[in-house]
Amino acid sequence: MRRAAWAVALVTLAALTGCAGADEDPGRAPVWQPRPGLAWQWQLDGPVDPSVDVPVYDIDGFENSAADVARLHRDGRKVICYVNVGAWEDFRPDREDFPASVRGRSNGWKGERWLDIRRLSVLRPLMERRFDMCRDKGFDAVEPDLMEGYGNDTGFPLTARDQLRYNRMIADLAHRRGLSVGLKNDLPQIPQLVRHFDFAVNEECAQYDECGELKPFIAAGKAVFHVEYAEPAAAFCPDSRRLKLSSMRKQPELGVWRAPC
């Protein structure tokens, strides 16, 4: 293929797949950039069911294998790696790597305790290894969970500044591995963080009348993957479509069932 035609083909492919570089570092290798309105499946409970006809899957990084990711890729899907970055989990294989000094109060989920995100020298290598796992299994992106510890009773005197520093570190760790990365919830810090993240993942912005706070992501051409658990679809889908959110209703255990807008 001639050079000019090859270049046109690359541009066309990028437009179709939503691939773009991380906007905060033009010299960095391109990462996947999901665009507003992409349909998605979020399944963290049970073996992944590949039959849902959507272009994006968000699945647990530990519980799924490279073969699971490859199967989704063969079906033309992009795959996001769910990883908890804000809480220690007693059911993960690396649980003994987290010293007791960084484990705080329970976050309300069985077997989980908030992390002291001020301890970057301790947590950075642990998160690096988790993100290495996501990269090595072939994931396209990371969904880092529990990124708003500063707004909760963690057992540590965390500040908004602590959270910004930690969340930016998380974004950098993903980008250094060629992975795109989503900002999970943490709505108050979107203005400071939107340029560091490639998409957003939100729970229940409609129930709490907060979906408008996600507009900076849409304005930047970045997808907002959104779920509601209690609100009926008829109550939030019209606004979701207007805002160009990728919205669906899910059950809290995040199994296969979904009711998309």
Side-chain angles (χ1 to χ4, degrees):
M1 187 180 293
R2 291 180 299 173
R3 183 179 299 271
W6 176 76
V8 170
L10 280 182
V11 171
T12 303
L13 180 62
L16 289 173
T17 61
C19 189
D23 58 10
E24 72 273 12
D25 187 349
R28 183 171 284 145
V31 299
W32 172 53
Q33 176 64 79
R35 302 301 185 186
L38 275 180
W40 70 308
Q41 167 65 316
W42 196 16
Q43 186 191 339
L44 302 184
D45 183 55
V48 62
D49 180 344
S51 66
V52 180
D53 187 15
V54 292
V56 179
Y57 265 70
D58 188 339
I59 61 178
D60 189 278
F62 283 102
E63 298 298 326
N64 292 279
S65 67
D68 294 322
V69 177
R71 179 177 57 183
L72 291 170
H73 280 161
R74 286 195 297 272
D75 293 336
R77 279 73 184 255
K78 294 290 188 180
V79 193
I80 301 172
C81 182
Y82 170 90
V83 175
N84 196 330
V85 302
W88 174 77
E89 301 160 304
D90 70 4
F91 48 88
R92 297 302 190 187
D94 61 354
R95 58 190 176 275
E96 298 299 332
D97 297 336
F98 291 77
S101 60
V102 302
R103 306 177 199 173
R105 292 178 179 155
S106 170
N107 65 2
W109 291 91
K110 183 179 179 181
E112 298 188 20
R113 294 166 62 181
W114 289 104
L115 290 172
D116 186 353
I117 60 168
R118 300 170 300 170
R119 302 283 299 280
L120 298 187
S121 62
V122 175
L123 295 180
R124 183 184 181 101
L126 298 174
M127 297 306 158
E128 285 178 331
R129 289 197 287 273
R130 288 188 166 192
F131 286 14
D132 286 346
M133 172 191 68
C134 294
R135 177 199 59 202
D136 294 346
K137 288 184 177 181
F139 283 93
D140 302 287
V142 177
E143 180 214 331
D145 197 12
L146 295 183
M147 303 187 75
E148 67 285 342
Y150 75 105
N152 291 271
D153 184 13
T154 63
F156 306 111
L158 304 182
T159 67
R161 180 176 294 182
D162 294 328
Q163 195 71 58
L164 286 172
R165 184 173 62 163
Y166 186 71
N167 289 358
R168 287 170 179 149
M169 182 195 78
I170 290 296
D172 182 64
L173 294 183
H175 288 149
R176 286 178 181 273
R177 286 154 178 78
L179 299 165
S180 61
V181 60
L183 180 64
K184 179 72 171 288
N185 297 322
D186 194 17
L187 296 178
Q189 295 188 329
I190 285 177
Q192 296 99 320
L193 292 173
V194 62
R195 74 182 186 91
H196 296 275
F197 288 83
D198 307 294
F199 57 94
V201 179
N202 177 265
E203 297 170 290
E204 300 186 298
C205 68
Q207 180 173 342
Y208 297 102
D209 195 24
E210 297 171 333
C211 293
E213 296 183 42
L214 290 151
K215 288 180 180 179
F217 274 96
I218 300 299
K222 300 176 178 183
V224 174
F225 298 118
H226 160 237
V227 299
E228 294 290 328
Y229 301 120
E231 291 288 291
F236 68 87
C237 282
D239 278 344
S240 288
R241 286 190 285 266
R242 178 179 58 82
L243 292 170
K244 300 181 181 179
L245 309 184
S246 300
S247 299
M248 59 183 171
R249 189 176 182 191
K250 294 283 291 185
Q251 295 165 339
E253 62 269 22
L254 296 175
V256 177
W257 182 84
R258 64 192 288 273
C261 289

